[in-house]
C-alpha cells in the first residue's frame, strides 16, 4: 500500500512487514526518512532528520547575501532518494549528465500512485510482460507503485523515479527513467538504477565472488568508512562477482537480525557501491557500471535503467532468501511451464566432449535411460566444422558428415525422452564460414589485434543485422527439428569494446547495447518457441542473474561438478536464487561417490554428465534411486517448496538444508560433510513443518511430530561419516 500525507508532504510505502517513508522537503528534494521494519506511524520528522547544528547556507548572487535553507536539509548528509552532483554532496550521485556547469539536481514536480507495476519497454522487468503471449497469471494485484516525476533544475531533463512494493513478499523494486525534453541531445555519463541511504553502517556485506570453476564464493566484509564496490566490467554479470549481495546486521544469522538483499534485473556490467561517510551514513547506489559508459539521449528520447530489487528481512538471512526465491519464481521467470516438473537431464559434454558420432550418441541415449533420463542434451560439437574449440562458432548448421540429428532425435523419442541442443549464439570463431563471409560482424575495430578467449571472438550484438543472421540460422534448426530445450552458452568476457557498426561518438553505448542484443534475440526466440525451455550458461555460471532468469528458468550453475566445490557453490547460489533455477549434474569426477554427488544434485535441476556406457550395475542402481526420489519430490518440495538453510559449509564442517512443500506435507533434508566427522551429539532442528502433524522420517522409519522435529530436532548423533558424504532424508506427513 502507498499513501500520500499531503500536509506532511510524506509518502508511506508499506506492506505487513516493511515501512518506507519519503519526505518531499522544502527545497523539493526527496529525503528518505525511514526504511525498515514496519512502523504504525511516523512522527517528529524533525528529530529524524536532525544533523549537526546549523542549516545549509548559500550565497544569493543577485543580492550578494547569505541565506540559510529552510528545514534540516544538508547536501551530503541528508538521506536522499537521488543525490545531487556537483554540489556539496560528494557521496556519489546515481545519475550524471554531462553539462557545462557540471551540476545535476533533480527536484520534485509531481507523483503518481497506482496498483501494479508497469513493464520496461527495453529490458526484462518484474511484471511477466510476456504474459500476453502465454497464459500465465501475473501478480499485478499484489504490488503498488509510486512514480515521482523530478526535473533537473537547470535543464529540460526529467527523471521518473519508480518505487514498487509487493504486498505478498518483502520486495521493493526501484529504478529511474530519464526523459530528454530539451531540443538538444544530452549525454549520460552515469545511469544507475537506485540509491538507498541508511542512517547506520554497522552491517556486514556478503558478496559472492569467484572465477570460472569457482563461482560465487561467500565473502563477508564489515562495512568501513570509505567505498566498497561489487561490480562487473567484463560485459556479462560474470563469474568474478555476482549482482546478488546482502547486508546483514553483525549479529544476524539464518533466523534473526536485519538483512537487506540487493539484486539487479540485468545481465551486463553492474556496480553495487556502498559508501560509508564520516557521519556514518550508508549511501548505496546500484545499477549499470558507468565505466566506459556514455549514452547519447536525443531530444524526446527516454532511457530506462534496469530495475533494482531489494529484499528486506527483519528475521534473518533465510527470510531475505525466501523473498528472492518467491519473487524470481512468481514475478521474474516468464517461461510458462516454470512451475511444472523439470525433467531429469543427461548432457553429453563431459562424457565425450567433441568426440562423438551418431552411433556413440545413440548408445549414450540408451544407457542414459537406465538412470532415469527424461531429456537428452547434445552439447557442443554438432554444427559447422566444430570438432574442437578452435572452429565452427557462428555456423549453426548440422555437421552431417559427423552425425545424423534426425536419427538422434528419433532415438530419444523412442526411448520416451525429450531432446535438447547447445548453442552459443553471441560468439564466433575466426575459423568459421560466418567470419569468412562477414569479418565486420565481430566486436572490435577492423585491423586491430583482438584478444581471444577460448579461441573465440564476440559477435557485435549491437548490430541488428548480426542478431538477425543468428536468429535466422537458429530458426532453421528449430523449425525443422523437434527440439524441447536449448542450452545457451557464452564462453568469453568482452575485451575490445569497440563497434564498427555504432561508429564515432557512440562507443560508450557498446556494453549496454550488447546486453540489449542478447535480450532481443532471446525475446524473439521465446515468443516463437514458447515450449522450448532455455537453460542459461556462460562458461558454467558466468551469467547467473535475474535478467537471464527472465527468459531462462534454469541456469548452469558451474562447470565444476566436483562435490567439494559444488557444496559451496550450490549453498551460496541458493541464498539468492531458487533451487529450481540451478542446473546440477552428477559427473564421474574422482572425488566423492555417485551417491553423494547425486544427492547433492538432487538440490537443483537434476542431471548427469559422464560416459553412461561405463556405469556398473551398482552405479546405475544408485543413480536411478536418486532420479526416482527427484521425480517423486522435486516439483512439490524443491521447485515450489520453501528453503531453509540449517548450517553453512563456510561456518561448519558440514552443510545442512531443508526444503518443505507449500502444504507442509513433505520435506527433504540434506546433511553433507566437508571433513570426516565422528559420532557426537548432533540434533538438527528442522523448520517450516506443521507442529501438530506427524511425519515419518526415512532416516530411521520412526514417526515424529512436527513439534518434536522443530524443537528437539532430528538426531543424527550416531553418524560417523567420511568427508564429502551425504545423508538425504525425507519426511512425509502420516495420518
Ligand atoms: C562451456 C559450458 C560447458 C560446455 C562447454 C561446451 O564451458 O559451461 O558446460 O557446454 O562450454 O563447449
Amino acid at each position: 500500500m502507498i499513501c500520500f500525507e499531503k500536509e506532511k508532504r510524506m509518502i508511506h510505502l508499506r506492506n505487513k512487514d516493511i515501512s518506507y517513508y519519503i519526505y518531499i522537503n522544502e527545497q523539493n528534494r526527496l529525503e528518505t526518512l525511514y526504511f525498515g521494519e514496519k512502523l504504525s506511524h511516523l512522527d517528529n520528522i524533525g528529530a529524524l532528520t536532525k544533523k549537526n547544528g546549523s542549516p545549509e547556507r548559500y550565497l544569493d548572487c543577485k543580492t550578494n547575501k547569505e541565506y540559510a535553507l529552510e528545514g534540516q536539509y544538508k547536501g551530503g548528509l541528508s538521506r536522499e532518494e537521488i543525490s545531487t552532483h556537483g554540489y556539496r554532496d560528494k557521496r556519489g550521485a546515481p545519475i550524471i549528465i554531462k553539462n557545462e556547469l557540471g551540476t545535476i539536481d533533480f527536484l520534485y514536480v509531481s507523483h503518481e500512485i497506482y496498483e501494479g507495476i508497469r513493464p520496461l519497454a527495453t529490458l526484462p522487468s518484474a511484471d511477466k510482460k510476456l504474459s500476453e503471449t502465454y497464459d500465465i497469471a501475473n501478480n499485478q494485484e499484489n504490488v503498488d507503485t509510486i512514480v515521482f516525476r523530478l526535473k533537473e533544475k537547470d535543464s529540460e531533463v526529467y527523471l521518473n523515479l519508480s518505487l514498487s512494493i509487493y504486498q505478498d513478499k518483502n520486495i521493493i523494486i526501484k529504478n529511474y527513467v530519464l526523459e530528454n525534453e530539451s531540443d538538444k541531445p544530452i549525454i549520460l555519463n552515469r545511469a544507475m538504477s537506485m540509491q538507498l541511504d541508511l542512517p547506520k553502517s554497522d552491517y556486514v556485506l556478503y558478496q559472492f565472488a569467484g572465477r570460472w570453476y569457482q563461482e560465487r564464493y561467500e565473502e563477508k566484509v564489515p562495512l568501513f568508512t570509505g567505498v566498497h564496490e561489487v561490480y562487473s566490467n567484463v560485459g556479462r554479470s560474470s563469474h568474478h562477482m555476482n549482482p546478488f549481495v546482502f547486508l546483514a546486521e553483525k549479529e544476524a544469522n539464518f533466523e534473526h537480525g536485519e538483512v537487506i538483499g540487493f539484486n539487479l534485473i540485468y545481465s551486463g556490467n553492474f556496480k553495487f557501491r556502498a559508501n560509508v561517510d564520516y557521519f556514518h551514513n550508508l549511501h548505496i547506489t546500484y545499477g549499470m557500471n558507468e565505466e566506459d559508459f556514455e549514452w547519447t539521449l536525443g531530444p524526446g528520447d527516454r532511457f530506462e535503467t534496469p530495475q533494482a530489487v531489494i529484499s528486506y528481512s527483519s528475521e534473518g538471512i533465510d527470510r531475505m532468501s525466501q523473498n528472492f526465491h518467491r519473487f524470481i519464481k512468481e514475478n521474474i521467470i516468464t517461461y510458462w511451464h516454470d512451475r511444472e516438473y523439470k525433467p531429469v537431464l543427461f548432457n553429453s559434454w563431459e562424457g565425450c566432449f567433441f568426440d562423438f558420432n551418431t552411433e556413440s550418441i545413440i548408445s549414450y541415449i540408451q544407457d542414459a535411460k537406465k538412470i532415469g533420463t527424461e531429456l537428452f542434451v547434445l552439447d557442443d560439437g554438432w554444427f559447422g566444422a566444430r570438432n574442437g574449440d578452435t572452429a565452427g562458432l557462428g555456423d549453426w548448421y548440422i555437421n552431417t558428415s559427423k552425425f545424423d540429428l534426425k536419427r538422434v532425435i528419433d532415438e530419444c523419442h523412442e526411448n520416451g525422452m525429450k531432446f535438447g541442443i547447445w548453442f552459443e549464439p553471441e560468439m564466433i570463431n575466426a575459423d568459421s564460414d560466418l567470419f569468412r563471409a562477414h569479418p565486420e560482424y565481430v566486436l572490435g575495430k577492423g585491423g586491430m589485434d583482438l584478444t581471444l578467449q577460448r579461441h573465440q571472438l564476440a559477435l557485435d550484438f549491437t548490430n541488428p543485422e548480426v542478431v538477425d543472421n543468428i536468429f535466422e540460422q537458429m530458426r532453421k534448426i528449430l523449425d525443422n527439428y523437434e527440439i524441447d530445450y536449448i542450452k545457451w552458452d557464452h564462453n568469453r568476457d568482452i575485451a575490445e569494446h569497440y563497434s564498427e557498426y555504432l561508429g564515432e561518438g557512440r562507443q560508450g553505448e557498446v556494453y549496454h547495447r550488447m546486453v540489449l542484443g542478447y535480450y532481443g534475440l532471446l525475446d524473439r526466440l521465446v515468443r516463437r518457441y514458447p515450449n522450448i525451455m532455455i537453460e542459461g550458461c556462460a562458461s558454467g555460471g558466468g551469467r547467473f542473474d535475474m535478467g537471464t532468469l527472465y527468459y531462462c528458468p534454469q541456469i548452469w550453475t558451474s562447470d565444476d561438478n566436483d562435490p567439494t566445490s559444488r557444496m559451496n557453490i550450490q549453498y551460496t547460489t541458493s541464498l539468492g536464487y531458487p533451487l529450481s533455477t540451478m542446473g546440477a549434474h552428477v559427473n564421474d569426477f574422482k572425488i566423492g561417490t555417485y551417491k553423494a554427488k547425486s544427492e547433492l544434485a538432487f538440490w537443483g535441476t537434476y542431471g548427469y554428465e559422464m560416459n553412461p556406457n561405463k556405469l556398473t550395475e551398482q552405479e546405475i542402481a544408485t543413480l536411478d534411486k536418486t532420479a526416482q526420489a527427484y521425480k517423486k519430490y522435486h516439483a512439490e518440495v524443491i521447485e515450489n517448496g520453501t528453503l531453509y538453510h540449517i548450517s553453512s559449509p563456510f561456518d561448519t564442517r558440514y552443510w545442512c538444508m531443508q526444503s518443505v512443500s507449500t502444504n507442509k506435507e513433505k520435506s527433504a533434508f540434506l546433511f553433507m560433510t566437508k571433513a570426516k566427522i565422528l559420532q557426537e551429539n548432533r540434533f538438527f532442528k528442522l523448520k517450516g513443518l506443521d507442529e501438530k502433524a506427524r511425519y515419518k522420517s526415512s532416516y530411521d522409519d520412526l514417526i515424529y511430530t512436527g513439534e518434536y522435529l522443530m524443537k528437539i530436532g532430528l538426531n543424527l548423533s550416531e553418524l560417523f561419516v567420511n568427508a564429502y558424504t551425504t545423508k538425504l532424508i525425507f519426511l512425509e506427513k502420516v495420518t
Side-chain angles (χ1 to χ4, degrees), residues 95-130:
I95 305 284
I96 298 182
I97 302 169
K98 206 176 196 167
N99 68 28
E100 229 176 43
L101 300 173
T103 55
I104 300 295
D105 190 1
F106 284 106
L107 299 175
Y108 171 85
V109 176
S110 61
H111 69 261
E112 183 195 0
I113 296 173
Y114 54 87
E115 265 180 34
I117 179 168
R118 290 182 191 146
L120 297 182
T122 54
L123 288 163
S125 51
D127 59 78
K128 304 255 191 207
K129 72 175 165 181
L130 289 170

Side-chain angles (χ1 to χ4, degrees), residues 212 349 354 379-380 386 422 454 487 489 491 537-540 556 559 609:
W212 173 71
W349 178 243
F354 295 102
D379 207 280
D380 199 351
R386 187 79 170 166
W422 183 92
R454 211 195 185 207
K487 179 174 171 190
D489 217 329
N491 278 311
C537 176
S539 320
W556 183 223
D559 277 344
E609 294 199 31

Side-chain angles (χ1 to χ4, degrees), residues 145-353:
T145 299
I146 178 161
V147 180
F148 292 99
R149 186 153 175 87
L150 311 179
K151 182 186 171 303
E152 207 287 310
K153 192 154 68 73
D154 299 308
S155 58
E156 285 303 304
V157 178
Y158 287 82
L159 179 123
N160 296 332
L161 186 173
S162 169
L163 262 151
S164 302
I165 183 163
Y166 281 82
Q167 296 308 314
D168 59 344
K169 51 182 87 71
N170 292 339
I171 291 284
I172 303 258
I173 310 279
K174 283 186 137 189
N175 87 321
Y176 303 119
V177 175
L178 284 138
E179 291 175 4
N180 178 7
E181 294 200 359
S182 75
D183 51 7
K184 289 190 214 74
I186 56 164
I187 292 177
L188 308 179
N189 286 141
R190 186 185 288 161
M192 293 181 116
S193 300
M194 62 155 268
Q195 170 170 332
L196 182 67
D197 289 351
L198 298 170
K200 62 171 199 160
S201 55
D202 51 344
Y203 289 106
V204 175
L205 173 71
Y206 285 65
Q207 63 179 26
F208 302 94
R211 48 175 295 188
W212 173 71
Y213 226 62
Q214 204 175 77
E215 292 88 340
R216 293 176 291 286
Y217 265 48
E218 177 181 285
E219 294 177 340
K220 301 180 200 177
V221 202
L223 290 183
F224 45 79
T225 307
V227 171
H228 186 93
E229 290 182 348
V230 181
Y231 68 93
S232 163
N233 60 0
V234 296
R236 54 183 175 182
S237 47
S238 93
H239 300 85
H240 315 311
M241 293 193 189
N242 192 271
F244 161 58
V245 295
F246 67 89
L247 298 172
E249 279 182 329
K250 290 208 166 99
E251 61 283 6
N253 58 24
F254 289 127
E255 286 177 302
H256 301 287
E258 184 178 68
V259 180
I260 312 174
F262 299 85
N263 210 326
L264 197 66
I265 310 179
Y266 194 58
S267 307
N269 292 348
F270 70 90
K271 185 186 276 183
F272 174 88
R273 185 174 183 273
N275 181 355
V276 178
D277 64 21
Y278 72 94
F279 211 65
H280 290 173
N281 270 324
L282 170 57
H283 171 77
I284 294 165
T285 47
Y286 194 16
M288 288 178 355
N289 192 341
E290 78 274 31
E291 187 180 323
D292 293 312
F293 174 81
E294 185 178 275
W295 191 277
T296 305
L297 198 63
D301 287 352
R302 303 173 92 228
F303 185 85
E304 294 178 329
T305 65
Q307 288 175 336
V309 185
I310 302 175
S311 166
Y312 182 80
S313 163
S314 54
E315 295 160 280
I317 294 169
D318 264 352
R319 181 53 63 87
M320 179 273 310
S321 294
Q322 290 159 3
N323 292 337
F324 272 136
H325 296 166
R326 284 194 48 223
F327 171 70
I328 290 170
K329 294 294 280 179
E330 294 170 11
N331 308 94
I332 290 285
I333 295 174
T334 53
Y335 175 61
W336 71 318
H337 299 295
D338 183 53
R339 306 305 286 273
E340 295 166 19
Y341 167 76
K342 299 286 184 341
V344 174
L345 187 159
F346 187 101
N347 179 297
S348 64
W349 178 243
E350 288 196 30
C352 57
F353 299 103

